[in-house]
């Protein structure tokens, strides 16, 4: 490992020494502030160089979110043919220009620097020179303490080793625990911020479940492995987590994912600033909906006895209304029957009168028909 990463050890140690030379003009060269700020500056320099990879990571993450429904459809269609499934996945990635590994590029790019810094601090703890750190710089780094904990000390180090670095076990344990908690909390908040604000909630995909799982897995991993990291490495990792959190907050606020909560908040800010002009009909519809929501009254809460009384009263009222309705119905039916009988009598009388008149006319016609003239003898 030392042979492969030897050039990187030299590069990392050289960067730290250059920053240490600068901060020695402000602080004591043997102080934890000079060496601690040198490590922080190393992180900042690395993360600035990784900004292009971070931009690729954002684009890749969004593309993966957009492709999740299509990927799920391919998995369902070719669930019995893994080879065809892989071919269709690669075809989909190629057509859309998506690289699944792009989301891991910043972490992968940081890994060599992280390992190199770990090895440099381990050499300092073992009183060995490394890279451009010679014996005077080695002695200065060993004297550097951050809140009483040496840069090269670990949580799991023995009391003898910690005492050889000029510190106490309690100081080292307290400082490392606080830094591990802060490191895990910053990682959890960063991942939670991504899940709650910068994810399109209208599409439920396995990618969201994966991100939710990582939100809990990463902090646990930091807590487990953190006890084996030197204090200087904890400073490095805590700094990079804080940088990632701030960088992500900036991106979510300025360029959120469409359909996410952060995107809706950004649109509201732009509307308030007058940078987005909506259709007047849409604005009126939103205002009407908001006014209706404000004027809507919620039913008052009632006790159990009030609810029972209220339910009994309508029941009694319903019975009374039913009885009154039946009574009024009976009265109406009776009145209808009387009216019907009177109409039938009137019709009968009119019928008789008409019948008599028609009968007289029929009789007269019968009389006329009965009094016929005798036929002529010649026609017999």
């Amino acid at each position: 490992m030392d042979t492969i990463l030897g050039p990187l050890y030299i590069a990392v140690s050289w960067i730290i020494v250059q920053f240490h030379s600068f901060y020695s003009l402000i602080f004591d060269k043997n102080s934890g502030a000079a060496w601690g700020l040198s490590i922080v500056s190393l992180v900042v320099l690395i993360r600035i160089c990784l900004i292009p990879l971070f931009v690729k990571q954002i684009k890749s993450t969004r593309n993966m979110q957009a492709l999740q429904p299509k990927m799920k459809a391919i998995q369902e269609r070719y669930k019995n043919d893994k080879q065809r499934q892989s071919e269709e996945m690669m075809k989909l990635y190629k057509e859309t220009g998506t690289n699944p590994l792009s989301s891991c590029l910043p972490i992968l790019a940081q890994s060599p620097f992280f390992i190199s810094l770990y090895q440099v601090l381990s050499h300092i703890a073992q009183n060995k020179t490394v890279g451009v750190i010679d014996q005077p710089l080695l002695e200065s780094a060993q004297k550097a303490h951050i809140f009483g904990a040496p840069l090269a000390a670990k949580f799991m180090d023995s009391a003898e080793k910690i005492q050889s670095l000029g510190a106490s076990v309690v100081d080292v344990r307290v400082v490392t625990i606080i830094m591990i908690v802060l490191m895990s909390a910053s990682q959890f908040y960063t991942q939670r911020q991504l899940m709650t604000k910068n994810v399109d909630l209208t599409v439920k995909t396995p990618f969201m479940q994966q991100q939710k799982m990582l939100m809990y897995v990463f902090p646990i991993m930091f807590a487990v492995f953190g006890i084996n990291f030197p204090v200087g490495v904890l400073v490095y990792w805590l700094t990079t987590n804080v940088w990632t959190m701030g960088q992500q907050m900036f991106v979510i606020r300025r360029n959120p994912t469409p359909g996410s909560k952060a995107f809706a908040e950004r649109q509201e800010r732009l509307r308030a600033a007058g940078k987005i002009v909506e259709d007047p009909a849409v604005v009126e519809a939103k205002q009407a909906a908001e006014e209706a929501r404000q004027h809507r009254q919620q039913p008052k809460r009632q006790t159990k006895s009030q609810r029972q009384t209220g339910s009994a009263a309508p029941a009694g009222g319903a019975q009374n209304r039913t009885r009154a309705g039946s009574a009024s119905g009976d009265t109406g039916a009776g009145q209808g029957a009387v009216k019907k009988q009177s109409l039938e009598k009137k019709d009968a009388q009119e019928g008789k009168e008409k019948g008599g008149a028609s009968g007289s006319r029929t009789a007269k016609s019968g009389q006329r028909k009965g009094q016929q003239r005798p036929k002529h003898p010649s026609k017999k």
Side-chain angles (χ1 to χ4, degrees):
M1 181 67 71
D2 291 346
T3 304
I4 298 174
L5 296 178
L8 201 55
Y9 294 171
I10 297 174
V12 170
S13 61
W14 183 83
I15 294 172
I16 292 177
V17 168
Q18 299 306 312
F19 280 119
H20 177 261
S21 301
F22 171 75
Y23 289 115
S24 297
L25 302 175
I26 305 172
F27 305 100
D28 182 11
K29 65 178 182 179
N30 298 330
S31 65
W35 285 99
L37 289 175
S38 300
I39 296 174
V40 171
S41 300
L42 171 67
V43 175
V44 173
L45 178 62
I46 293 173
R47 294 309 300 265
I48 290 174
C49 295
L50 294 179
I51 286 178
L53 294 180
F54 180 75
V55 173
K56 286 186 177 181
Q57 180 189 21
I58 293 174
K59 293 181 179 179
S60 176
T61 303
R62 290 185 180 179
N63 290 338
M64 291 296 292
Q65 290 178 0
L67 291 178
Q68 285 301 311
K70 295 182 180 180
M71 293 171 62
K72 189 175 182 181
I74 292 174
Q75 291 174 354
E76 291 293 332
R77 185 175 181 180
Y78 304 105
K79 59 182 178 180
N80 296 326
D81 190 351
K82 298 297 182 182
Q83 183 177 358
R84 181 66 183 279
Q85 185 182 119
S86 301
E87 292 176 356
E88 292 295 327
M89 288 288 189
M90 296 303 296
K91 183 179 178 182
L92 180 63
Y93 293 150
K94 186 176 180 180
E95 290 176 353
T96 57
T98 303
N99 185 3
L101 298 178
S102 296
S103 58
C104 303
L105 286 178
I107 296 177
L108 295 176
Q110 284 188 85
S111 298
F113 296 96
F114 176 81
I115 296 172
S116 300
L117 179 62
Y118 181 87
Q119 292 296 327
V120 168
L121 293 174
S122 297
H123 281 72
I124 292 173
Q126 298 171 8
N127 199 17
K128 296 180 180 178
T129 59
V130 57
V132 299
I133 298 179
D134 52 12
Q135 191 62 34
L137 289 172
L138 178 63
E139 294 176 358
S140 175
Q142 287 181 340
K143 295 177 182 178
H145 292 185
I146 297 178
F147 300 109
L151 289 176
K154 305 176 186 176
F155 180 87
M156 300 299 293
D157 284 345
S158 62
E160 292 79 8
K161 187 174 182 179
I162 293 174
Q163 289 176 0
S164 65
L165 295 172
S168 65
V169 177
V170 176
D171 292 339
V172 172
R173 300 285 168 84
V174 170
V175 171
T176 52
I177 288 175
I178 292 174
M179 296 184 72
I180 290 171
V181 170
L182 292 176
M183 187 172 61
S184 301
S186 60
Q187 178 65 34
F188 177 81
Y189 180 79
T190 301
Q191 194 68 23
R192 180 176 175 80
Q193 181 180 233
L194 177 65
M195 286 295 301
T196 56
K197 289 189 174 183
N198 204 36
V199 173
D200 187 358
L201 301 177
T202 59
V203 181
K204 303 294 183 181
T205 62
F207 180 77
M208 295 177 62
Q209 298 297 328
Q210 180 183 2
Q211 293 296 318
K212 187 176 181 180
M213 181 182 66
L214 293 177
M215 181 173 64
Y216 296 98
V217 170
F218 276 149
I220 295 174
M221 290 177 59
F222 281 121
V224 172
F225 294 115
I227 60 177
N228 294 313
F229 290 161
V231 173
V233 174
L234 294 179
V235 172
Y236 175 93
W237 207 250
L238 177 60
T239 305
T240 193
N241 280 359
V242 173
W243 176 281
T244 302
M245 182 172 62
Q247 187 173 249
Q248 185 171 271
M249 289 174 65
F250 176 81
V251 171
I252 289 175
R253 182 175 177 84
R254 299 296 298 273
N255 190 19
T257 301
S260 63
K261 181 180 178 181
F263 183 80
E265 293 176 353
R266 179 176 177 270
Q267 295 299 101
E268 290 296 330
R269 291 195 302 269
L270 293 177
R271 291 190 193 98
K275 296 181 179 180
I276 295 180
V277 180
E278 289 185 339
D279 188 1
V282 177
V283 176
E284 291 179 1
K286 288 183 178 181
Q287 291 178 353
E290 183 66 20
E291 290 178 358
R293 186 185 66 81
Q294 292 177 356
H295 289 86
R296 185 177 58 191
Q297 295 181 354
Q298 297 292 337
K300 296 181 180 180
R301 298 186 63 180
Q302 297 179 347
T303 61
K304 186 176 181 180
S305 59
Q306 289 176 343
R307 289 196 298 271
Q308 292 176 351
T309 305
S311 61
Q319 292 177 358
N320 294 333
R321 287 194 299 272
T322 304
R323 291 173 183 173
S326 61
S328 62
D330 294 341
T331 304
Q335 293 176 355
V338 172
K339 291 180 179 179
K340 186 177 181 181
Q341 291 177 0
S342 62
L343 290 173
E344 289 178 353
K345 290 180 180 180
K346 187 176 180 180
D347 292 339
Q349 290 176 359
E350 292 177 353
K352 288 180 181 180
E353 294 175 355
K354 293 179 180 179
S358 61
S360 61
R361 287 196 298 270
T362 304
K364 291 179 180 180
S365 64
Q367 291 177 359
R368 288 196 298 271
K369 289 180 179 179
Q371 297 177 358
Q372 294 180 356
R373 294 179 181 180
K375 296 181 179 180
H376 198 273
S378 62
K379 292 182 179 181
K380 288 182 180 181

